Each structure stands twice: as structure tokens, then as C-alpha cells.
Amino acid sequence: MGRAVTHDRGKLVSDARDMFWRKGFDAVSVADVEAATGVGRSSIYHAFGNMRGLFDAAVTDYLDTIVRPRLRPMTVEKVDGDAVIDYLSRLRDAIAVIDRDGAAPAGCLLLTTAAGNIGGDDAVAQVVAAYHRELSTAIARGVQAHLPDADATTRDRMTRMTVAASIAGLSLARVDADAACATLDAAIATLAEQRRR
């Protein structure tokens, strides 16, 4: 007979997600999770097997609740011409209001993960690469809707520039929000100028 679950799994995962997001996988211990959530070590291990299992659940939650909702307007059947600009603007706005005292996570959980020791793990590398493909595919659709008359080479360049600006903005958000916002503003301006041509 299994043990009764006495904690909210979703809340535990989202709390752990934010801890991994702020500090990175290597800097979060099971004791940290216990202290932050009030959920005991045995319950954490019973539910997730180990800290890596909890981390994997946190990454899935991050993709489903943070990343994919931001990308959704560029993944629908009929993408609005302003969807890519709206994505960059919303990302910029989110970075601009990040709580600088460390209470709210900044940047991107997956980019933080890729830069840590766990980033060398094959399974983690595959998740980060899949995230990059998902981001690139969504932005490509947004750019295509934004620049329907542009040639394929121009759309490809604008897609790569927008993906790079997004990743740079998310990376800079952890250390220099103003620079992150300026990077995203430059991408917005470049896309707008390209549309006017």
C-alpha cells in the first residue's frame, strides 16, 4: 500500500523550479527544498526518486507554464503579423520588472542550467537543444507572419537575429536588466525597420 500524499505536488515543483532558476541545479540541496517548502526529504524522494527527478519535473513545469505560453501566439495556425514583436515586447517588459533582490527568478532556467555543471549531462543538453529548436521554430513563424513579402534569406537572418537577441536578453537579465532590455529593443526596432522596406 502506497503512502498518502500530504503535499501539493504542483506547488512543490513550482517552488523548486524557482529555486533552481535562481541558483542553478548544483546550488540547491534537498535541505534547501525542505526548508523552502516544508516538504520532508522522504516525501521528496518518494515522489521524485532524487533531486534530479525533482529538477526534471521543474524543467517540464518551466517549459509548460513559462516558455510555451509566451511562444503560443507564434505557434497557432494563423500567426498575427505582430506576434513576434509582441513576444519580444512582453519578454522585455518581464525583464524590466524583475525583482532585483533575488526574490523572483531572472533570465532563463534552461540557460542557467546549460551554464552549470549539469549542462554537460546528455539528457540536459538534449532538453536545452530541444528548447532552442522550439524557440527557433516559433520565432521563424512569427518572422514569416511579420515579413510575409521578404525573401527566404532575409526571413532566415531575421529569425536568427531574433533568436539570438532573445537568448542574449534572457542571459543578460541575470546581471544587467538594462542591457537585456536594450538588446530586445534593438531586435524590435530591426524587425520594424525590415517590415517598412
Side-chain angles (χ1 to χ4, degrees), residues 20 25 30 33 41-57:
F20 292 130
F25 175 77
V30 70
V33 176
R41 163 181 320 244
S42 62
S43 294
I44 293 167
Y45 286 136
H46 180 72
F48 301 99
N50 54 31
M51 283 293 284
R52 176 58 189 272
L54 177 58
F55 175 76
D56 291 343

Side-chain angles (χ1 to χ4, degrees), residues 57 176 188:
D176 188 343
I188 291 166

Side-chain angles (χ1 to χ4, degrees), residues 39 61 81 84 127 131 134 150 191:
V39 176
D61 180 73
V84 69
V127 169
Y131 160 67
E134 188 172 352
L191 284 165

